[in-house]
Amino acid sequence: MAERMTGAEMVIQALTDQGVEHIFGYPGGAALPIYDAMFQQDVVQHILVRHEQGATHMAEGYARSTGKCGVVLVTSGPGATNAVTGLTDALMDSIPMVCITAQVPTTLIGSDAFQECDTVGITRSCTKYNYLVKRVEDLPRIMHEAFLIATTGRPGPVVIDIPKDVQFALGDYYKPDLETLRHQSYRPQVDGDAAAIEAAVDLMLKAERPIFYTGGGVINAGPEASKHLRELAELTGFPVTSTLMGLGAFPASNPQWMGMLGMHGTYEANWAMHDCDVMINIGARFDDRITGRIDAFSPNSRKIHVDIDPSSINKVVRVDVPIIGDCERVLSEMVRVWRSKTNQPRTEAIAPWWNQIEKWRAVNSLGYKNSDTVIKPQYAIERLYEMSKKQGKEVFITTEVGQHQMWAAQHFHFDQPNHWMTSGGLGTMGYGLPAAVGVQVAHPDALVIDIAGEASVQMTMQEMSTAVQYRLPIKIFILNNERMGMVRQWQDLLHGSRYAHSYSESLPDFVKLAEAYGGKGIRCENPAELDAAIAEMFDYDGPVLFDVIVEKDENCLPMIPSGKPHNEIILPDTANIGDIIDEKGRQLV
Amino acid sequence: MNAHLQPTGSAYFITKETQEQERHTLSVLVDNEPGILARVVGLFSARGYNIESLTVSETEHGRRLSRITVVVIATPKTLIQIKLQLERLVPVHKVHDLTAEGASIERELALIKVAGSGEHRAETLRLADAFRAHIVDATVESFVFEVTGKPDKIDSFIALMQPLGLVEVVRTGLAAISRGPQGM
């Protein structure tokens, strides 16, 4: 049944029909009709941000913590260009997002009008798909199609660029039949090939040194996928490691958990990847942070790769059994097929493998030397983890990008999916604070903590004001070493400790800054006072900037340096990291 | 076991490509919508694939479908990636590697302007006849020929016209279709 309304009203109506409760945005000239339509309803709640990049990261945090689509609304020109970083971030990490950008009227497009930019041109390569809506008749279909594309298959961001005259134009709104949308060219394959799943299970049944290598795809496939993964791990008895994006899909408290793998992954996870005979990759993409040197990557294993995106298969690493499909469906099939073939885990056959793993574990690669006089960043995260567990609340962690992010991944442990939000693929400094705002909007009663660095957090610091406006009690836990720590670490590794612009000078007084925004500021530099300070942060019912002054030159270890294979991982007791990488490795990122 | 597999494109570890490059013709069926060509071309430039030739035109007006014929030079491994990456684009219906899938017919059309007089002019006409080039425009001192065929036939004709007063050339790029009764 069609209903007569303006384009702007259609936008709101379509959001309502899609079950959208919150959108993150910033108004402007070209977006005014949509804002006017929004003003006249109360189903969709709008969160006013301070910068459009903040809106995109909030939508990402919202999406990743709920499994729903994040929605952003920005104006033309600078509104759209400011959203580009977040769109790219969402594309790299496969986050479902619909971003509505306003555009100058169709009659002015191409005339270099005020606040005009070629939004579809600019965002073509940083979205899964994008639209310029030229006729109001197309708007209902495009609105719903955008949600379909953003949330199905490999999720990603979709931009809808709506000129101002289309927002004013009257047309018939209808809710299209989603089954008929894009039926010809867009049909993601969700069910894995039965023969391939059978072949994969047969390989697993013969494995002597198996490992599950899981990724963000398990999280994206929904909580059921995590359940199936746990079931499959229990049935098989195999060890499990995960990428940065996949943390939480498998519980860190489970004895089969090996910790994160990759550049800053654990010694046991990386060695097991190197020495395994069957690798079962579920929803990960052999990213270069994971594989290290490709020609020495897991040289003796047969590889199974489950991915919903066919172009991920054999892109980086040649695999033996590719399975294209949704992780949830494929994992549940794997469980069924395994059960049909055996009722025993391979405990005895893989006992020597576990013995070996225990020897690697004994190295304690996440160990560090604690101090009585200065707060070690790892210690700060450990205390944060231990104390947050006792709050009786659901705990969500977001991060910025850098050393603190890796320490958080290593020392904060996750037992549930969707509770860890971080910028993995793009590595966007400034992601964590707005992402925390988005998470807190979705989970008002939860404890939401942004583990941050003093450099990253300043990139989107203005969203503190959003947190204050909407009374979102996010906790920003800044590991302040007055360095861009990871840059400094790489300069030690690769550039003779010449610290070109990697130190934070003229830092603001974060306590005063928090107060200026209307939040609370806490500073702590004494390890003995840390617990009390963290408790004070938790007790405050409002946004907190917690400035933890930590050891300045701590290195983030273990680390697989550029151009090295997994079995040449640097451990924490290495004295001088400056001598490890050769000339060839220096050219790499 | 994997030591011989050398992937390309990883910024982490750049290894030398060991596979030989091949020239393949891909046929891509797409929705004829604004920006589709930019999407396809953008994919090639963003991922560093080389385009040798590209033609596009609407082929099914009722269903608003266009067909893009693209000639690429790449290693077998990259060719598979190109096909998969193209298929990942939302408005792309099908991608066929005509070179890999068996016999196909490839044709190109060129318009060639030649100016001259005397013996050159007579020789030009004799060669045009041999190549079945049609005269589509003539003045007392020039011809425009229309020649159709495989790209190397057109290359040869252009090479022959060079000393005879070749002025300019325009080519459509390659159109290709598979042999036999099956459609895309």
Side-chain angles (χ1 to χ4, degrees):
Chain A
M1 254 227 331
E3 204 183 329
R4 199 89 178 141
M5 60 178 79
T6 66
E9 287 164 343
M10 286 180 187
V11 170
I12 304 300
Q13 189 58 49
L15 294 178
T16 309
D17 289 348
Q18 283 289 339
V20 174
E21 293 166 58
H22 298 98
I23 67 172
F24 304 91
Y26 203 99
L32 285 178
I34 299 176
Y35 272 89
D36 196 36
M38 190 153 46
F39 189 78
Q40 300 173 43
Q41 55 89 49
D42 49 17
V43 180
V44 181
Q45 197 202 336
H46 178 269
I47 309 294
L48 177 69
V49 303
R50 299 298 180 268
H51 183 288
E52 289 86 350
Q53 184 189 349
T56 56
H57 296 322
M58 287 176 202
E60 286 186 276
Y62 187 89
R64 204 156 172 84
S65 67
T66 59
K68 294 196 273 186
C69 189
V71 184
V72 172
L73 171 60
V74 298
T75 193
S76 63
T81 55
N82 280 345
V84 164
T85 301
L87 291 168
T88 313
D89 194 274
L91 184 73
M92 290 286 269
D93 286 345
S94 307
I95 311 290
M97 184 197 294
V98 167
C99 176
I100 298 161
T101 58
Q103 183 56 277
V104 300
T106 49
T107 48
L108 288 182
I109 289 178
S111 71
D112 298 326
F114 176 64
Q115 292 195 329
E116 182 190 355
C117 75
D118 175 14
T119 303
V120 284
I122 290 168
T123 60
R124 198 172 282 130
S125 62
C126 63
T127 54
K128 185 174 174 187
Y129 196 53
N130 62 11
Y131 299 90
L132 170 60
V133 187
K134 286 189 172 161
R135 308 181 314 161
V136 73
E137 298 91 289
D138 297 330
L139 189 54
R141 173 184 63 82
I142 288 173
M143 284 296 299
H144 290 283
E145 199 173 88
F147 277 89
L148 178 80
I149 291 173
T151 55
T152 56
R154 181 174 177 175
V158 177
V159 159
I160 311 172
D161 198 29
I162 312 178
K164 195 171 184 180
D165 54 335
V166 175
Q167 298 172 31
F168 277 125
L170 273 173
D172 290 328
Y173 175 82
Y174 58 95
K175 205 180 161 192
D177 176 12
L178 290 181
E179 276 305 299
T180 61
L181 287 174
R182 283 283 166 202
H183 63 289
Q184 284 168 324
S185 65
Y186 181 74
R187 275 284 139 125
Q189 186 180 337
V190 289
D191 287 313
D193 178 63
I197 293 173
E198 185 98 12
V201 173
D202 285 342
L203 260 185
M204 287 156 64
L205 281 164
K206 282 185 254 151
E208 289 175 358
R209 302 186 309 280
I211 187 165
F212 282 111
Y213 149 43
T214 67
V218 182
I219 313 271
N220 277 336
E224 282 298 305
S226 290
K227 273 190 205 158
H228 295 315
L229 173 65
R230 289 157 196 230
E231 202 178 354
L232 189 61
E234 194 184 332
L235 284 174
T236 56
F238 294 176
V240 183
T241 182
S242 158
T243 66
L244 181 72
M245 295 309 292
L247 295 177
F250 192 77
S253 54
N254 188 301
Q256 282 165 258
W257 173 245
M258 314 261 292
M260 181 175 76
L261 82 160
M263 189 176 260
H264 294 287
T266 64
Y267 187 74
E268 55 269 34
N270 285 324
W271 265 94
M273 286 289 280
H274 186 269
D275 281 8
C276 67
D277 69 343
V278 174
M279 177 188 295
I280 309 127
N281 171 346
I282 318 261
R285 59 182 176 90
F286 294 109
D287 182 87
D288 54 55
R289 302 293 101 165
I290 297 303
T291 59
R293 183 171 163 163
I294 285 284
D295 62 354
F297 174 69
S298 193
N300 302 310
S301 62
R302 307 267 279 166
K303 299 176 184 69
I304 298 162
H305 187 185
V306 182
D307 203 303
I308 200 160
D309 179 359
S311 72
S312 286
I313 307 277
N314 291 332
K315 183 174 69 178
V316 181
V317 170
R318 182 73 56 90
V319 296
D320 302 279
V321 184
I323 303 172
I324 296 161
D326 180 79
C327 288
E328 193 264 316
R329 305 264 188 113
V330 175
L331 279 166
S332 103
E333 270 305 287
M334 281 180 158
V335 167
R336 192 186 64 75
V337 175
W338 178 279
R339 281 218 169 99
S340 74
K341 290 179 186 268
T342 180
N343 51 10
Q344 293 289 325
R346 287 182 59 74
T347 316
E348 253 173 62
I350 63 171
W353 180 231
W354 272 112
N355 281 340
Q356 177 61 60
I357 290 170
E358 291 309 329
K359 280 181 202 153
W360 289 325
R361 261 188 188 160
V363 169
N364 187 24
S365 61
L366 298 182
Y368 62 92
K369 224 166 141 187
N370 210 353
S371 158
D372 293 338
T373 51
V374 58
I375 300 174
K376 291 281 184 169
Q378 301 96 323
Y379 177 71
I381 291 172
E382 272 180 12
R383 292 316 303 156
L384 184 71
Y385 170 64
E386 291 301 332
M387 293 184 66
S388 67
K389 276 200 294 192
K390 294 178 191 137
Q391 293 299 303
K393 286 182 179 177
E394 214 177 345
V395 180
F396 292 86
I397 299 294
T398 70
T399 76
E400 312 291 335
V401 168
Q403 285 185 320
H404 67 273
Q405 176 191 30
M406 293 298 113
W407 281 317
Q410 292 170 341
H411 298 278
F412 208 101
H413 307 293
F414 300 90
D415 280 1
Q416 294 300 328
N418 303 102
H419 287 65
W420 161 250
M421 269 55 59
T422 194
S423 170
L426 193 64
T428 309
M429 291 171 71
Y431 167 90
L433 199 167
V437 170
V439 173
Q440 191 83 73
V441 166
H443 308 273
D445 300 322
L447 175 57
V448 183
I449 308 167
D450 169 28
I451 297 179
E454 86 290 341
S456 281
V457 78
Q458 289 187 85
M459 287 206 177
T460 49
M461 175 53 82
Q462 73 285 348
E463 303 306 333
M464 184 72 181
S465 174
T466 307
V468 170
Q469 178 179 347
Y470 294 95
R471 300 173 190 277
L472 301 167
I474 58 169
K475 313 300 177 200
I476 301 152
F477 192 72
I478 303 171
L479 299 179
N480 185 348
N481 56 8
E482 297 173 20
R483 306 277 185 280
M484 290 157 218
M486 194 61 95
V487 175
R488 193 275 309 151
Q489 179 169 338
W490 278 60
Q491 286 169 336
D492 273 336
L493 266 168
L494 301 164
H495 299 284
S497 302
R498 291 180 296 278
Y499 302 130
H501 299 272
S502 58
Y503 37 84
S504 304
E505 275 199 18
S506 307
L507 278 175
D509 178 332
F510 285 109
V511 174
K512 281 188 187 156
L513 188 61
E515 286 160 6
Y517 274 117
K520 181 181 174 70
I522 301 172
R523 179 173 297 118
C524 181
E525 42 197 323
N526 181 350
E529 292 164 8
L530 183 62
D531 279 14
I534 291 175
E536 187 187 350
M537 170 175 85
F538 288 159
D539 289 344
Y540 182 73
D541 184 23
V544 180
L545 268 182
F546 187 168
D547 188 16
V548 192
I549 310 298
V550 297
E551 162 76 54
K552 293 195 193 318
D553 293 316
E554 188 78 6
N555 283 319
C556 183
L557 297 169
M559 176 176 190
I560 303 173
S562 307
K564 299 280 183 184
H566 281 175
N567 56 357
E568 292 184 37
I569 186 168
I570 312 174
L571 285 168
D573 53 8
T574 308
N576 183 4
I577 63 171
D579 301 332
I580 292 164
I581 298 183
D582 58 15
E583 204 45 53
K584 207 170 164 192
R586 276 174 227 276
Q587 301 166 17
L588 307 173
V589 290
Chain B
M1 184 185 133
N2 283 0
H4 64 288
L5 299 172
Q6 303 284 330
T8 55
S10 168
Y12 193 98
F13 192 74
I14 302 153
T15 49
K16 230 174 103 183
E17 187 56 68
T18 53
Q19 290 184 316
E20 288 289 322
Q21 294 209 325
E22 296 173 10
R23 180 198 189 92
H24 279 233
T25 306
L26 307 182
S27 207
V28 189
L29 195 65
V30 299
D31 283 328
N32 182 13
E33 60 175 30
I36 177 64
L37 189 59
R39 239 176 254 286
V40 170
V41 173
L43 169 72
F44 276 78
S45 70
R47 294 189 184 264
Y49 309 142
N50 293 316
I51 298 180
E52 182 82 355
S53 155
L54 185 139
T55 62
V56 56
S57 189
E58 190 169 80
T59 51
E60 287 183 59
H61 189 66
R63 291 167 65 206
R64 294 190 54 75
L65 290 178
S66 284
R67 191 138 151 175
I68 298 174
T69 307
V70 53
V71 181
V72 296
I73 295 180
T75 61
K77 188 174 183 295
T78 308
L79 279 164
I80 294 170
Q81 263 298 303
I82 293 174
K83 183 170 183 282
L84 292 170
Q85 292 291 350
L86 281 169
E87 282 171 345
R88 205 154 83 108
L89 298 178
V90 171
V92 169
H93 289 246
K94 285 177 195 163
V95 182
H96 281 241
D97 184 336
L98 295 176
T99 311
E101 289 171 17
S104 62
I105 298 169
E106 303 191 334
R107 289 293 180 269
E108 192 178 3
L109 183 145
L111 296 173
I112 296 159
K113 186 177 284 182
V114 185
S117 57
E119 188 45 40
H120 274 180
R121 195 167 160 88
E123 181 62 15
T124 302
L125 280 175
R126 275 194 293 276
L127 287 168
D129 194 43
F131 277 80
R132 294 200 197 111
H134 303 292
I135 298 167
V136 288
D137 178 68
T139 68
V140 291
E141 52 190 345
S142 72
F143 292 116
V144 174
F145 295 111
E146 173 197 318
V147 59
T148 315
K150 291 183 185 169
D152 54 353
K153 172 188 162 182
I154 294 169
D155 290 344
S156 311
F157 186 67
I158 293 168
L160 287 168
M161 289 299 116
Q162 195 74 50
L164 299 175
L166 181 72
V167 178
E168 62 179 345
V169 178
V170 57
R171 301 171 70 149
T172 57
L174 198 70
I177 201 162
S178 63
R179 287 185 185 272
Q182 301 300 327
M184 230 178 122

